[in-house]
Amino acid sequence: MAESDNIVVETAEKIFADLADPQTINNDKKGSWQAPLWQALSEAGLPLSWVPDDLGGSGASLADGFALLNAAGRFAVAVPLAETMLAGWLLAQAKIASPEGEMTVLPASPKDRITLDADGSLSGRARGVPFAKAAKHFAVLAHGKDGVSIALVGAAKARIEAGLNVGYDHSDTVTLDKVQPVTLKPAAKGFDQTTLMLMGGVARSLQIAGALESMLDISVRYSNERVAFEKKISKFQAVQHNLARLAGESAAALAAATSAADAIANARAFDDEVYLEAASAKIRCAEAAEKGGAVAHQVHGAIGFTMEHILHRYSLRALAWRDDFGSESHWAVELGKLVANRGADELWPLVASR
């Protein structure tokens, strides 16, 4: 996932630098930055990176898309880029063409279920759906008597209860009541809700890792600028210790997230190896978001908690991303069940081979 020779990431970073500067966005209380940013991303084909050309997308590789999500995390991008990418990827699993505009996926939690009724309609309630209020379409994974299906649904047909996560981004509750989808097709054999949750979890892990990289950069820069007792605070041992801790959490998150992304990009199926990598990445990155964010705010002191400072754009979003597509506690329990059922001796070769 090297970025220097990745044209997808280079294009995205240029757009982010021009139209998603964190300080400019932080000062824009009217949200006028959103439309130009989304238009530029759409014109570059980035929201549909994981959609094949013949289904209306850009046809980028999984590795390129994962690197793009890491870059988006470094800018704390607050538009449904990751959600639209996941929705397009989900629709592509059933050979459904992706429409233009913002999308998100249903459900966004392992505990919620959307059911496929006998008449082909969809019913169910999904909580904590990222950017549902901004979406024009939903990519839905539904359970029916014949198995799992994937559907494209117009957002206007759903009932949406607006909500916000701790990063002040939309995290909404979506209710489908006998909604007829635009398109409905059976999912590929072996594809299930766990697969979607693992893919979403790795996407969030990469975003968290990117946010932590930026928090480290911001904290180091601040420590070299802030003067106390006639010397830069970066000279104080306590601050150096905190920066080292933050660097450690950032490095651990990046290593776990990129390893999981590589496992998915190179795997033929979401097997036990992918499960171990993806679940472990979400657990470790969620832990890093909490510990790393706390350390970054310690370095900044009171100024880091003000709405005028950009640090909160990263720390709060990293905390919010912990819960999407399964919290660390959920995946810790599920990972424990896998080890208990399969045995450490059987699973260890998969870990050692990485």
Side-chain angles (χ1 to χ4, degrees), residues 213-284:
E213 287 182 84
S214 291
M215 281 190 269
L216 177 60
D217 290 342
I218 294 168
S219 298
V220 170
R221 185 166 61 249
Y222 176 78
S223 71
N224 284 317
E225 295 171 351
R226 179 76 168 88
V227 175
F229 303 106
E230 299 183 350
K231 66 178 180 179
K232 297 176 181 178
I233 64 171
S234 61
K235 302 298 183 181
F236 290 98
Q237 187 174 12
V239 174
Q240 293 173 352
H241 177 66
N242 276 339
L243 290 174
R245 289 173 56 204
L246 177 54
E249 293 298 329
S250 176
L254 185 62
T258 54
S259 181
D262 288 343
I264 292 177
N266 295 312
R268 295 182 179 180
F270 279 72
D271 54 18
D272 284 345
E273 180 180 350
V274 170
Y275 193 107
L276 283 168
E277 290 276 2
S280 299
K282 189 67 191 299
I283 295 167
R284 187 62 185 91

Side-chain angles (χ1 to χ4, degrees), residues 116-191:
L116 174 63
D117 300 323
D119 61 355
S121 64
L122 301 173
S123 299
R125 189 166 180 256
R127 298 159 294 179
V129 179
F131 291 103
K133 200 72 175 177
K136 294 180 175 61
H137 291 89
F138 301 137
V140 183
L141 187 142
H143 295 80
K145 65 176 183 178
D146 296 324
V148 176
S149 297
I150 296 171
L152 175 65
V153 173
K157 296 182 178 180
R159 186 169 74 251
I160 303 174
E161 301 170 44
L164 295 175
N165 61 24
V166 297
Y168 300 99
D169 294 326
H170 271 285
S171 181
D172 311 308
T173 298
V174 179
T175 302
L176 303 179
D177 186 10
K178 299 289 185 180
V179 170
Q180 289 293 336
V182 177
T183 309
L184 175 70
K185 292 184 179 181
K189 184 179 179 181
F191 192 95

Side-chain angles (χ1 to χ4, degrees), residues 6-346:
N6 189 326
I7 190 171
V8 175
V9 175
E10 290 175 358
T11 300
E13 288 183 333
K14 186 178 187 307
I15 293 173
F16 295 151
D18 291 342
L19 300 173
D21 173 67
Q23 191 63 66
T24 301
I25 291 175
N26 206 40
N27 295 334
D28 183 359
K29 306 305 180 184
K30 297 181 180 179
S32 58
W33 57 272
Q34 293 177 334
L37 174 59
W38 186 258
Q39 182 178 352
L41 292 171
S42 299
E43 289 175 353
L46 298 178
L48 299 182
S49 296
W50 281 332
V51 178
D53 296 338
D54 58 347
L55 295 177
S58 304
S61 67
L62 284 173
D64 285 346
F66 284 134
L68 168 58
L69 290 172
N70 183 242
R74 291 198 297 273
F75 283 84
V77 173
V79 293
L81 174 61
E83 292 73 18
T84 302
M85 289 175 62
L86 285 169
W89 173 81
L90 177 59
L91 293 172
Q93 305 310 303
K95 307 298 182 184
I96 298 174
S98 291
E100 295 182 356
E102 298 91 333
M103 294 191 290
T104 191
V105 295
L106 303 181
S109 167
K111 297 180 180 180
D112 294 331
R113 288 288 187 276
I114 305 297
T115 59
L116 174 63
D117 300 323
D119 61 355
S121 64
L122 301 173
S123 299
R125 189 166 180 256
R127 298 159 294 179
V129 179
F131 291 103
K133 200 72 175 177
K136 294 180 175 61
H137 291 89
F138 301 137
V140 183
L141 187 142
H143 295 80
K145 65 176 183 178
D146 296 324
V148 176
S149 297
I150 296 171
L152 175 65
V153 173
K157 296 182 178 180
R159 186 169 74 251
I160 303 174
E161 301 170 44
L164 295 175
N165 61 24
V166 297
Y168 300 99
D169 294 326
H170 271 285
S171 181
D172 311 308
T173 298
V174 179
T175 302
L176 303 179
D177 186 10
K178 299 289 185 180
V179 170
Q180 289 293 336
V182 177
T183 309
L184 175 70
K185 292 184 179 181
K189 184 179 179 181
F191 192 95
D192 57 16
Q193 188 161 322
T194 299
T195 304
L196 174 60
M197 294 300 113
L198 290 172
M199 188 69 171
V202 171
R204 286 297 192 243
S205 296
L206 288 161
Q207 289 177 283
I208 290 172
L212 283 165
E213 287 182 84
S214 291
M215 281 190 269
L216 177 60
D217 290 342
I218 294 168
S219 298
V220 170
R221 185 166 61 249
Y222 176 78
S223 71
N224 284 317
E225 295 171 351
R226 179 76 168 88
V227 175
F229 303 106
E230 299 183 350
K231 66 178 180 179
K232 297 176 181 178
I233 64 171
S234 61
K235 302 298 183 181
F236 290 98
Q237 187 174 12
V239 174
Q240 293 173 352
H241 177 66
N242 276 339
L243 290 174
R245 289 173 56 204
L246 177 54
E249 293 298 329
S250 176
L254 185 62
T258 54
S259 181
D262 288 343
I264 292 177
N266 295 312
R268 295 182 179 180
F270 279 72
D271 54 18
D272 284 345
E273 180 180 350
V274 170
Y275 193 107
L276 283 168
E277 290 276 2
S280 299
K282 189 67 191 299
I283 295 167
R284 187 62 185 91
C285 290
E287 180 183 349
E290 180 180 4
K291 293 182 178 179
V295 171
H297 279 282
Q298 284 180 323
V299 171
H300 281 78
I303 194 173
F305 288 93
T306 64
M307 293 304 292
E308 289 76 20
H309 200 280
I310 63 171
L311 181 61
H312 68 85
R313 291 193 59 80
Y314 297 93
S315 61
L316 292 181
R317 282 186 176 80
L319 291 174
W321 291 333
R322 295 183 308 167
D323 293 329
D324 293 338
F325 306 105
S327 65
E328 66 263 43
S329 58
H330 166 80
W331 288 115
V333 170
E334 294 303 310
L335 200 56
K337 290 179 181 178
L338 178 64
V339 174
N341 291 334
R342 294 290 300 275
D345 291 341
E346 184 177 349

